Amino acid sequence: MITMLKYILGFCSVICLFTSCKTVNITKVSHQPTTQQISLGTIGLAKDFILQSAYNNAAIPNYSKPIKLALTVEYFNKQSYKFFEKAKALQSANIAIHYVDSVEKKPKYIKLQIADKVALIDALNNTDNTTVKNYLKHNVSANVLTEISMALNSDDFKAVINSDAIFLVEKTPKTYVLQLYKNGAKTETLHFNQGVVFAYKGSNCCWKENKRHRIDITDIVTQFNNCPNKTYRSAHRAEKKITSLNY
């Protein structure tokens, strides 16, 4: 009995060791660390390894309308700063962040999250994104990049936190920017490569039959959340459900 208990505890320890390498807990929310310059709204596949993580961009949707973003300002800690340093070494932006663990006042970074899920879902279902939607239908592990952690220089950071609203905008075909607004007017336009992106969160699509008996994306959920009732992460499963109902 004691031998069996030791075996179970040892097995659980190994599992914890392996899974802890895959994500970093930034401000109590599980994010995937990255060293790549990635943009909100893109489609990709997360590739997890024991010693490194990569996000493989697979598709860049067309966003004809701006998508509202939500802003959160966070303080660096040891873990987030370590991932920032790794990302900074491989990205083009020259961002100087001075972090000292013994100093009480810590530097800050921003988290940007897609706030208007309806606008995102409408865009992905639009005929402009037929090929992107087909890719998502046939790749269950593909996800939409819906949140990033990003460090900026002092001027850009101030511009972001002093803005009234932030939108994800397709400035040129397949190129996204952050459009800032103040008092209802456009102010700064920031490119993602002006900062250092060091963590992200992807979301999966939930599929359901529409009124024309076709499969549509009806919701976007994060890794640890379930799709709403009668919707499915697998488009194939949603199609099978339609077939069974027709008989």
Side-chain angles (χ1 to χ4, degrees):
M1 183 69 179
I2 295 175
T3 303
M4 178 62 70
L5 180 60
K6 287 182 178 179
Y7 174 79
I8 293 172
L9 290 173
F11 178 76
C12 291
S13 298
V14 172
I15 294 296
C16 291
L17 175 62
F18 274 66
T19 55
S20 64
C21 293
K22 292 186 179 182
T23 58
V24 53
N25 188 15
I26 300 177
T27 63
K28 301 180 182 179
V29 178
S30 182
H31 282 63
Q32 191 73 32
T34 183
T35 56
Q36 298 166 267
Q37 184 68 63
I38 52 181
S39 302
L40 280 169
T42 55
I43 310 296
L45 295 166
K47 297 293 185 181
D48 300 329
F49 301 97
I50 298 303
L51 299 177
Q52 65 178 5
S53 173
Y55 187 84
N56 293 339
N57 282 313
I60 303 175
N62 296 305
Y63 294 126
S64 58
K65 297 179 181 178
I67 298 175
K68 180 75 178 292
L69 305 179
L71 168 69
T72 307
V73 178
E74 305 286 355
Y75 287 97
F76 275 100
N77 56 29
K78 279 185 178 180
Q79 196 174 44
S80 56
Y81 184 70
K82 179 177 72 174
F83 285 103
F84 159 74
E85 285 282 273
K86 288 183 178 180
K88 178 186 174 183
L90 296 173
Q91 295 181 31
S92 59
N94 185 21
I95 307 297
I97 302 291
H98 302 288
Y99 176 89
V100 180
D101 190 51
S102 59
V103 175
E104 185 176 353
K105 188 177 181 180
K106 301 295 192 293
K108 300 175 184 178
Y109 65 91
I110 63 169
K111 264 196 321 190
L112 292 171
Q113 180 181 13
I114 290 179
D116 192 347
K117 289 203 302 181
V118 173
L120 175 65
I121 293 166
D122 285 347
L124 293 175
N125 283 321
N126 193 284
T127 53
D128 289 344
N129 287 312
T130 299
T131 55
V132 173
K133 185 178 176 182
N134 285 336
Y135 177 82
L136 289 167
K137 285 176 67 175
H138 293 95
N139 292 273
V140 179
S141 58
N143 54 46
V144 186
L145 196 66
T146 52
E147 189 170 330
I148 59 169
S149 295
M150 185 180 190
L152 295 167
N153 64 39
S154 179
D155 290 341
D156 290 341
F157 181 83
K158 289 177 183 177
V160 169
I161 64 173
N162 289 328
S163 64
D164 294 333
I166 307 171
F167 287 84
L168 178 69
V169 175
E170 187 173 2
K171 189 71 173 179
T172 58
K174 306 296 183 179
T175 302
Y176 308 150
V177 297
L178 300 172
Q179 182 63 63
L180 310 185
Y181 283 79
K182 185 73 173 180
N183 298 323
K186 292 181 182 180
T187 55
E188 304 285 337
T189 300
L190 302 180
H191 293 263
F192 283 92
N193 62 9
Q194 288 180 235
V196 173
V197 178
F198 59 89
Y200 70 90
K201 183 189 288 186
S203 295
N204 297 104
C205 296
C206 298
W207 303 85
K208 187 179 180 180
E209 176 190 11
N210 62 25
K211 293 179 180 179
R212 293 171 294 176
H213 303 290
R214 295 179 182 176
I215 301 300
D216 268 345
I217 300 168
T218 57
D219 205 351
I220 301 285
V221 295
T222 54
Q223 179 183 357
F224 302 107
N225 290 320
N226 295 323
C227 285
N229 189 34
K230 297 183 180 179
T231 68
Y232 307 89
R233 284 182 185 254
S234 167
H236 179 63
R237 187 178 176 190
E239 287 176 337
K240 287 179 67 176
K241 191 71 175 179
I242 292 174
T243 303
S244 64
L245 290 174
N246 288 334
Y247 281 96

